[in-house]
Amino acid sequence: QKEVEQNSGPLSVPEGAIASLNCTYSDRGSQSFFWYRQYSGKSPELIMSIYSNGDKEDGRFTAQLNKASQYVSLLIRDSQPSDSATYLCAVRSLGGNNRLAFGKGNQVVVIP
Amino acid sequence: GAVVSQHPSRVICKSGTSVKIECRSLDFQATTMFWYRQFPKQSLMLMATSNEGSKATYEQGVEKDKFLINHASLTLSTLTVTSAHPEDSSFYICSPTENTEAFFGQGTRLTVV
């Protein structure tokens, strides 16, 4: 079982709609959860971090964490063409020298 | 956010030569440096972890004699790809970490011909 799984294929959403991304992780000891956005040919940039169960909102982005079910999700409201990118879920566990485990990413395409 | 400088951003080299990639944390001290590699349409794969002044710890399948990592100071780490082969062509990204906050360099696109 992979540490972090993002199983959905490319996601196409019309401009203004909500994009929903999901991520599951295997290590119950995980403490920190991150969503990164990566444009083609660029390095990842952090868009959300979440550490406790529940929702965390930042502008058009909402991260949701459920440690009991071991999943973390990202909602993008009012999707814009500039949101078209690959979104990487990353998880950090206790110990392990602060290393992050990344999912394979989900490509989001916002259609004008 | 923190400023990370990774150079070069793009490099083309001949098979058998060596390439050095430099990563600097400009406004913070990186207690830990992670080096990642990303092949097209795949996620970031951790290659190695290094702490300042210590030898790097390599992930399984990553040859330590081929990918030389130097982390001599809290603001500078280098990755040298030695005797490069075409299959080493990839996107290399450094990630200096201060405590629990991870930052990323701009990445280096390496093409070995």
Side-chain angles (χ1 to χ4, degrees), chain B residues 26-59:
Chain B
L26 300 181
D27 58 354
F28 70 99
Q29 294 184 326
T31 50
T32 306
M33 180 70 74
F34 298 98
W35 285 95
Y36 294 90
R37 178 168 55 182
Q38 186 178 35
F39 293 105
K41 299 193 183 300
Q42 296 187 25
S43 189
L44 279 70
M45 298 301 296
L46 182 64
M47 298 176 66
T49 304
S50 70
N51 294 304
E52 184 258 344
S54 302
K55 287 186 177 180
T57 301
Y58 291 80
E59 296 297 304

Side-chain angles (χ1 to χ4, degrees), chain A residues 36 38 43 92 97-98 103, chain B residues 34 38 43 49 99-100 104-105:
Chain A
Y36 289 87
Q38 186 176 26
S43 63
R92 177 181 288 131
N97 209 9
N98 281 332
Chain B
F34 298 98
Q38 186 178 35
S43 189
T49 304
N99 297 319
T100 59
F104 288 92

Side-chain angles (χ1 to χ4, degrees), chain A residues 2-54:
Chain A
K2 292 182 180 178
E3 286 187 79
V4 181
E5 295 210 48
Q6 293 177 258
N7 287 327
S8 300
L11 179 64
S12 293
V13 295
E15 185 173 356
I18 296 175
S20 178
L21 303 171
N22 294 312
C23 170
T24 59
Y25 58 94
S26 60
D27 185 356
R28 279 198 173 273
S30 300
Q31 296 293 312
S32 309
F33 307 87
F34 308 89
W35 283 98
Y36 289 87
R37 178 176 60 200
Q38 186 176 26
Y39 293 113
S40 180
K42 303 294 184 182
S43 63
E45 55 179 321
L46 180 67
I47 54 172
M48 287 288 285
S49 60
I50 187 166
Y51 304 97
S52 54
N53 281 328

Side-chain angles (χ1 to χ4, degrees), chain A residues 43, chain B residues 6 8-9 21 35-39 47 66-67 79 81 85 87-94 105-112:
Chain A
S43 63
Chain B
Q6 182 176 344
S9 59
I21 301 170
W35 285 95
Y36 294 90
R37 178 168 55 182
Q38 186 178 35
F39 293 105
M47 298 176 66
K66 179 173 180 60
F67 299 98
L79 167 67
V81 182
H85 292 157
E87 56 264 32
D88 297 326
S89 299
S90 187
F91 191 51
Y92 292 85
I93 308 172
C94 68
Q106 299 88 338
T108 298
R109 173 72 59 193
L110 170 63
T111 303
V112 184

